[in-house]
Structure formats: structure tokens, C-alpha cells
Amino acid sequence: MQAPSVGGVMLPRGNGEAIRLSRGASLTDFAEKINANPASLVAVMMNLGEMVTATQSVSDETLHLLAGEMNYTVQIVSPEEEDRELLESFDLEFGENEGTEEDLVVRPPVVTVMGHVDHGKTRLLDAIRKTNVIAGEAGGITQHIGAYQVATEVNGEDRAITFIDTPGHEAFTAMRARGARSTDIAILVVAANDGVMPQTVEALNHAKAAEVPIVVAVNKIDVEGADPTKVRGQLTEYGLVAEEYGGDTMFVDISAKQGLHIDNLLEAVVLTADAALDLRANPHQDAQGIAIESRLDRGRGAVATVLVQRGTLRVGDTMVVGDAYGRVRAMLDDSGNTVAEAGPSTPVQVLGLTNVPGAGDNFIVVEEDRTARQIAEKRAARERNAAFAKRTRRVSLEDLDKVLKAGEVQQLNLIIKGDASGSVEALESSLLQLDVGEEVDIRVLHRGVGAVTESDIDLAMGSDAIVIGFNVRAAGRAAQMAEREGVDVRYYSVIYQAIEEIEAALKGMLKPEYEEVELGTAEIREVFRSSKLGNLAGVLIRSGEVRRNTKARLLRDGKVIAENLTIEGLRRFKDDVTEIREGFEGGINLGNFNDIKVDDVIATYEMREKPRA
Ligand code: GDP
């Protein structure tokens, strides 16, 4: 076969054979698979009109295009598949119980509470927790770790149930989207005075899609106008038929507020689990499970709540969770007590991980620290590659509407950083659900727990993304870097506000924003009293420049003493001047404001419209 050449470089040519490449692969990866020189692939791309470097991650389309040109076909390997292969290469498998039938024992069901807003999900989770703390567990401080376990008695037998205590289906869906199966049973809360509402239906659909059996808690039966029968009728339309009407869904009338029939609800959960599911796990193998929630604690480092799904997790075990790993230094249960081990369906808080895993990341215990580190590093590298592969161009929230209209971008790229993985996942899934019309795509390139870092800004620059900080700020030099590079970083502390703003931006309704820009600071060295002008400040300009007629504030010992002042007069020696620069001395008159002292600082600023990139 004659090998064609491009620009003098021999072109490798295939026979249509398939090569497997992971998402975000580079031309070098490609070249390796077909035993070619990476430079020759760069040449092919150039010939196709695209400048690509050999080591840069490229999109799926580029990989297909390139392959087609050289008569290969490409199979892009999904992240899940790749992860399975990664674990396989270490002789590990996630998701299956080891051993035989005899090794399996019954494990408690894991429950998520869902339903319409205000129907009582949070209240119910509180009520369950309060009435059913496992007895004899004194001493611990009840704390929120993202899940808890309660005991209940069914048919004279002690049974346990594990509750994921982030109410709502956002977290549930976010985890499921990542292939994690966290929940065995969903409790659908419907307020009896309100009936089936939009989010009731949404929650119901999510549970059905995940093939998770539903128990209906008809709540607020203590409220006047409560109509539990009507709720049963309404839900029939969605395929949930109550047992008493010949269906197979258990309905329990409760009052979360008064603690009414909570036990019946727990019983219904256990009975539904027994009837519909075969919940068994092998407690005698190395532990596996998923991360539910995690955050960075100032004193303790990465703190992650994991749900053990099979095996038993012990202090001293080496685990890898997503791209975090480490040896379990200590474990705390949902009452704040330290525990030495945790079996199937038990949630525990784990200390000792290198960094913070994401909600829904799976964990697996391995023999050697080295294995854990290698798996974690491979995963981190893959995430980075995948993120870079999604690169496009730079954009800001204000001009989003314009660039969308101009067809310059068809998607809004986001990087989300937050204080806890739960909130990050919730924000992400809410944003992804925004109805933004068909032409626009919202893509989350990267998400994580912790401050906005320089590497986030890097990624944003490369891919024209907007960075969202939820209850976190930029760390170190990241803020300056963002400013310098024109990366739009937005801070929020309320989820709906973030969603509203992004929705507004997509519709082109964002008002111009003003920001305060510091112009200069002046230190008061002397105070002169003038009968005509009041107190005048003899100053040394410490930074920037001070200009006449600009706004100023007065600081004393670092605290703001007065706001909204104006530099009314500015003098150098005997002359009135319009500005004085850093390092020079002069006199400032703050109009009729006279409360000035030696060592006070006058800081001047102006409000500028935030630049639109
Ligand atoms: P969520 O949005 O579903 O988590 O709802 P919440 O648990 O926050 O409850 C919403 C409101 O309903 C709160 O003011 C609760 O105190 C109230 N509530 C919850 N359950 C009951 C109940 O059984 N009876 C009454 N009267 N009020 C309830």
C-alpha cells in the first residue's frame, strides 16, 4: 500500500481497524496506538485546517475526523468503562459481592427522602432521627454527616434503616448521573393539605427511572383541610396505587411535626425492602461503597462521609475514593462517636484522605498504599484531560447573550467550586436543568470542593468558562490572575440566586454591574486647623494616586470610621493640584468632615462599570 504524505511527512494509514481512545486523548495518545510519529498526526490536522499540538487534549469530533482521514475508526471509551478497566488492571472490581451465597447477610435498606418543597422532608428526617436514635449511644454529639442510621422493630425483630439526610432529589440525581447507586428505597413525602405538586411528580419520575421502590408518606395530617384520600387518588394517575386499593405501594399517613405514625412509616420501609428487594452483602470482604458528602475541614483536613455498601471498613484500611486516597486515620459515626469498623449500609465519616472526593464517587479498599495512589492519580489525570477536551472560547456572564446571538458560542461552560460536595452537586444539577432553549448547552467542565484556585482559573482561561464560587472565595493569587486574564468569577451563597443570575444572563437581562476600584491611599502625618476650612490633613500618599473630587473613606487602625467622603481640596505646598502621586506629600481637605487624627488613612476609590470582555 502506498503511504500518502502530507508536507513531506509519511501518513500512517489503517485498514479501517478500530482503535480505543479515552475521552480527551491527545494526538500523541493516538499516535502511540497506531505506532506513528505524533508529528505526522499534527501535520494531518494542519492539512485539515486545524492547529493542534501533539500533547493537547482534543475533542471526540477531532479524534473521529483524524481517524477517518487515515482510514481508522475510533472508539471513544466512556469514563465509566475506563474506570472499570483501570480497576481491572489492579485486579480489582467495583460493585459485586465477593464469595458465595453463604457469605451474604441481610443489610439495612438505604433511603432517600424526596418530594415537593415545603411538604416536610427536612422535618421528617429530623423526626425520624429524634425518635429512633439507637439506644445506649450516649455521649456523642449528634451531628450532620450526610446520613444516619436508625433502629426500628418490625414483627418483633430489630431492624435498621439508613437515611441519606440531604433531602430532595437533586443530590440523588447527581449521584445517579455519575453511575452511583446510593439508594434502595425512596420515601415520597406529599403534604396532605397540598396534594401532588410538580416536584412530587419530578421526584417520582427520578425514583422510577432509577428503579427504586417508593413508599409514600402522606404528611401534615394534623393540618386542617388535610385530605390523605385525595393524595392516594392523585398518585394513582402516576402509577402509584395504594395497597388498600389493590396496588403494591405502601402509603402511610403521618405528621412529621407531631411525630405521628413515624414508626409505621419505618415499618413500611422495611416491609417494602423485604418484599421488593434482596438486600444482602458480604461483610467479610474489603469494603466498597460511595462517598455521600465531603468537605475540607480546617483542622482535620479532608472529611468525607462514605456509605459502606459491602465489606467492612476499618480504621487503618487504605482506600481510594474518586481521585482521593489515604489510610483511614479515624472514623466517626452519625452520633460523633469514634468507631473502629463499619459494615454494609453504615454511613461513617472518614478522616485521613488526601483530598476531598465528590458526592457519588465510589470507594474501594485496597491492600497497598501505592495502588491507591496510582488509581487516584490516574483518575485525576483523566478528569483533567476530559475537562481540557471541552475547551472552547472565553466568555463572561454580561455579554453571554450577545455572543450567543452572534453564534460565537453555543454553550456556557462553568466551573463550580463550593464548600461541600453536596451543595456543589445540587447547584450543578439545578443549573443543568435550566431551560435555556435548544441552541444553548450548559456544560460543567469541572466541579470541586474548596477555594477557587489558580488551576481553576487556568482551566477557565483555556475553555472560556465562568467560575462559580459557592460559599468559597478565590485563594492566594487566583483572584489577581482572574482579574488579569479577564476570567469572570462569580460568588454566591444562595443556590437560587446563582441559578437566577445565570438564567438572566442567558436571556441577556443582566444589568451592568459596578465595582469599586481603589485609587490611592494617603496616611495622615499632621492635622492643621484652619478657621475657614476646618481640619486639614497633611498627608503622605502611600499607594496609587489621590485625585480631587473622588470618593474617599477614612480608616483608623484598619477600621472604617467614615464612608462617603469627598476629596474636596488637594494641595501641594501652596498650590491647588488635581492629583498627587505615591510617595509625595500634600494636604487634603475633606470638606466639612473634621474628625481626623494622625495615622488615620484616607482611601480613595471610584465606582466603575465592570468591564465587559
Ligand atoms: P421541605 O422543604 O420538604 O424540607 O419541608 P420542611 O421540612 O422544611 O417543612 C416545611 C414546613 O412545613 C415547615 O414549616 C414545617 O415545620 C412544616 N411541617 C412539616 N411537617 C409538618 C406536619 O406534619 N404538620 C404541620 N402542621 N407542619 C409541618
PDB file of all heavy atoms in Angstrom, residues 126-142:
ATOM      1  N   ASP A 126     -35.715  14.960  60.551  1.00  0.00           N
ATOM      2  CA  ASP A 126     -35.444  15.317  61.947  1.00  0.00           C
ATOM      3  C   ASP A 126     -36.240  14.427  62.895  1.00  0.00           C
ATOM      4  O   ASP A 126     -35.724  13.939  63.895  1.00  0.00           O
ATOM      5  CB  ASP A 126     -35.835  16.779  62.217  1.00  0.00           C
ATOM      6  CG  ASP A 126     -34.842  17.738  61.595  1.00  0.00           C
ATOM      7  OD1 ASP A 126     -33.767  17.270  61.161  1.00  0.00           O
ATOM      8  OD2 ASP A 126     -35.151  18.942  61.521  1.00  0.00           O
ATOM      9  N   ALA A 127     -37.523  14.260  62.566  1.00  0.00           N
ATOM     10  CA  ALA A 127     -38.403  13.487  63.441  1.00  0.00           C
ATOM     11  C   ALA A 127     -37.922  12.043  63.546  1.00  0.00           C
ATOM     12  O   ALA A 127     -37.888  11.461  64.633  1.00  0.00           O
ATOM     13  CB  ALA A 127     -39.838  13.528  62.910  1.00  0.00           C
ATOM     14  N   ILE A 128     -37.549  11.475  62.420  1.00  0.00           N
ATOM     15  CA  ILE A 128     -37.081  10.085  62.418  1.00  0.00           C
ATOM     16  C   ILE A 128     -35.828   9.974  63.271  1.00  0.00           C
ATOM     17  O   ILE A 128     -35.685   9.087  64.102  1.00  0.00           O
ATOM     18  CB  ILE A 128     -36.786   9.610  60.984  1.00  0.00           C
ATOM     19  CG1 ILE A 128     -38.077   9.534  60.181  1.00  0.00           C
ATOM     20  CG2 ILE A 128     -36.079   8.270  61.003  1.00  0.00           C
ATOM     21  CD1 ILE A 128     -37.877   9.282  58.707  1.00  0.00           C
ATOM     22  N   ARG A 129     -34.941  10.910  63.080  1.00  0.00           N
ATOM     23  CA  ARG A 129     -33.680  10.863  63.790  1.00  0.00           C
ATOM     24  C   ARG A 129     -33.889  10.971  65.302  1.00  0.00           C
ATOM     25  O   ARG A 129     -33.298  10.257  66.091  1.00  0.00           O
ATOM     26  CB  ARG A 129     -32.804  11.994  63.286  1.00  0.00           C
ATOM     27  CG  ARG A 129     -31.522  12.017  64.013  1.00  0.00           C
ATOM     28  CD  ARG A 129     -30.469  12.836  63.343  1.00  0.00           C
ATOM     29  NE  ARG A 129     -29.257  12.507  64.054  1.00  0.00           N
ATOM     30  CZ  ARG A 129     -28.069  12.450  63.534  1.00  0.00           C
ATOM     31  NH1 ARG A 129     -27.916  12.725  62.281  1.00  0.00           N
ATOM     32  NH2 ARG A 129     -27.042  12.122  64.269  1.00  0.00           N
ATOM     33  N   LYS A 130     -34.778  11.893  65.681  1.00  0.00           N
ATOM     34  CA  LYS A 130     -35.009  12.139  67.106  1.00  0.00           C
ATOM     35  C   LYS A 130     -35.647  10.958  67.804  1.00  0.00           C
ATOM     36  O   LYS A 130     -35.253  10.587  68.907  1.00  0.00           O
ATOM     37  CB  LYS A 130     -35.910  13.368  67.274  1.00  0.00           C
ATOM     38  CG  LYS A 130     -35.111  14.589  67.668  1.00  0.00           C
ATOM     39  CD  LYS A 130     -36.037  15.716  68.057  1.00  0.00           C
ATOM     40  CE  LYS A 130     -35.628  16.988  67.333  1.00  0.00           C
ATOM     41  NZ  LYS A 130     -36.658  17.557  66.490  1.00  0.00           N
ATOM     42  N   THR A 131     -36.643  10.349  67.173  1.00  0.00           N
ATOM     43  CA  THR A 131     -37.391   9.311  67.865  1.00  0.00           C
ATOM     44  C   THR A 131     -36.701   7.961  67.832  1.00  0.00           C
ATOM     45  O   THR A 131     -37.095   7.047  68.519  1.00  0.00           O
ATOM     46  CB  THR A 131     -38.796   9.129  67.248  1.00  0.00           C
ATOM     47  OG1 THR A 131     -38.631   8.962  65.843  1.00  0.00           O
ATOM     48  CG2 THR A 131     -39.670  10.314  67.523  1.00  0.00           C
ATOM     49  N   ASN A 132     -35.677   7.827  67.024  1.00  0.00           N
ATOM     50  CA  ASN A 132     -35.125   6.489  66.861  1.00  0.00           C
ATOM     51  C   ASN A 132     -33.620   6.377  67.007  1.00  0.00           C
ATOM     52  O   ASN A 132     -33.012   5.499  66.433  1.00  0.00           O
ATOM     53  CB  ASN A 132     -35.536   5.931  65.491  1.00  0.00           C
ATOM     54  CG  ASN A 132     -37.022   5.678  65.442  1.00  0.00           C
ATOM     55  OD1 ASN A 132     -37.494   4.635  65.836  1.00  0.00           O
ATOM     56  ND2 ASN A 132     -37.762   6.683  64.991  1.00  0.00           N
ATOM     57  N   VAL A 133     -33.040   7.306  67.771  1.00  0.00           N
ATOM     58  CA  VAL A 133     -31.598   7.169  67.987  1.00  0.00           C
ATOM     59  C   VAL A 133     -31.374   5.816  68.624  1.00  0.00           C
ATOM     60  O   VAL A 133     -32.092   5.414  69.528  1.00  0.00           O
ATOM     61  CB  VAL A 133     -31.052   8.218  68.982  1.00  0.00           C
ATOM     62  CG1 VAL A 133     -29.744   8.783  68.497  1.00  0.00           C
ATOM     63  CG2 VAL A 133     -32.054   9.275  69.293  1.00  0.00           C
ATOM     64  N   ILE A 134     -30.361   5.145  68.145  1.00  0.00           N
ATOM     65  CA  ILE A 134     -30.089   3.817  68.670  1.00  0.00           C
ATOM     66  C   ILE A 134     -29.729   3.943  70.153  1.00  0.00           C
ATOM     67  O   ILE A 134     -28.838   4.696  70.531  1.00  0.00           O
ATOM     68  CB  ILE A 134     -28.986   3.140  67.849  1.00  0.00           C
ATOM     69  CG1 ILE A 134     -29.519   2.951  66.421  1.00  0.00           C
ATOM     70  CG2 ILE A 134     -28.571   1.826  68.475  1.00  0.00           C
ATOM     71  CD1 ILE A 134     -28.519   2.470  65.417  1.00  0.00           C
ATOM     72  N   ALA A 135     -30.473   3.205  70.998  1.00  0.00           N
ATOM     73  CA  ALA A 135     -30.346   3.354  72.443  1.00  0.00           C
ATOM     74  C   ALA A 135     -28.944   3.030  72.927  1.00  0.00           C
ATOM     75  O   ALA A 135     -28.232   2.230  72.344  1.00  0.00           O
ATOM     76  CB  ALA A 135     -31.358   2.444  73.131  1.00  0.00           C
ATOM     77  N   GLY A 136     -28.555   3.661  74.027  1.00  0.00           N
ATOM     78  CA  GLY A 136     -27.267   3.362  74.629  1.00  0.00           C
ATOM     79  C   GLY A 136     -26.122   4.080  73.951  1.00  0.00           C
ATOM     80  O   GLY A 136     -24.963   3.842  74.224  1.00  0.00           O
ATOM     81  N   GLU A 137     -26.477   4.970  73.043  1.00  0.00           N
ATOM     82  CA  GLU A 137     -25.441   5.651  72.295  1.00  0.00           C
ATOM     83  C   GLU A 137     -25.185   7.016  72.910  1.00  0.00           C
ATOM     84  O   GLU A 137     -25.122   8.024  72.217  1.00  0.00           O
ATOM     85  CB  GLU A 137     -25.924   5.834  70.866  1.00  0.00           C
ATOM     86  CG  GLU A 137     -24.899   5.431  69.849  1.00  0.00           C
ATOM     87  CD  GLU A 137     -25.438   5.616  68.459  1.00  0.00           C
ATOM     88  OE1 GLU A 137     -26.022   6.664  68.197  1.00  0.00           O
ATOM     89  OE2 GLU A 137     -25.268   4.705  67.642  1.00  0.00           O
ATOM     90  N   ALA A 138     -25.059   7.036  74.213  1.00  0.00           N
ATOM     91  CA  ALA A 138     -24.913   8.317  74.884  1.00  0.00           C
ATOM     92  C   ALA A 138     -23.519   8.881  74.685  1.00  0.00           C
ATOM     93  O   ALA A 138     -22.603   8.174  74.288  1.00  0.00           O
ATOM     94  CB  ALA A 138     -25.191   8.148  76.375  1.00  0.00           C
ATOM     95  N   GLY A 139     -23.382  10.148  74.972  1.00  0.00           N
ATOM     96  CA  GLY A 139     -22.057  10.742  74.946  1.00  0.00           C
ATOM     97  C   GLY A 139     -21.729  11.438  73.653  1.00  0.00           C
ATOM     98  O   GLY A 139     -21.055  12.441  73.637  1.00  0.00           O
ATOM     99  N   GLY A 140     -22.196  10.906  72.568  1.00  0.00           N
ATOM    100  CA  GLY A 140     -21.873  11.520  71.287  1.00  0.00           C
ATOM    101  C   GLY A 140     -22.689  12.765  71.041  1.00  0.00           C
ATOM    102  O   GLY A 140     -23.787  12.919  71.551  1.00  0.00           O
ATOM    103  N   ILE A 141     -22.122  13.651  70.260  1.00  0.00           N
ATOM    104  CA  ILE A 141     -22.876  14.843  69.885  1.00  0.00           C
ATOM    105  C   ILE A 141     -23.496  14.549  68.540  1.00  0.00           C
ATOM    106  O   ILE A 141     -22.789  14.202  67.597  1.00  0.00           O
ATOM    107  CB  ILE A 141     -21.951  16.062  69.735  1.00  0.00           C
ATOM    108  CG1 ILE A 141     -21.016  16.154  70.929  1.00  0.00           C
ATOM    109  CG2 ILE A 141     -22.757  17.342  69.532  1.00  0.00           C
ATOM    110  CD1 ILE A 141     -19.672  16.738  70.593  1.00  0.00           C
ATOM    111  N   THR A 142     -24.824  14.652  68.474  1.00  0.00           N
ATOM    112  CA  THR A 142     -25.489  14.426  67.210  1.00  0.00           C
ATOM    113  C   THR A 142     -24.958  15.410  66.191  1.00  0.00           C
ATOM    114  O   THR A 142     -24.900  16.596  66.438  1.00  0.00           O
ATOM    115  CB  THR A 142     -26.996  14.663  67.368  1.00  0.00           C
ATOM    116  OG1 THR A 142     -27.460  13.696  68.288  1.00  0.00           O
ATOM    117  CG2 THR A 142     -27.715  14.495  66.064  1.00  0.00           C
TER     118      THR A 142
END
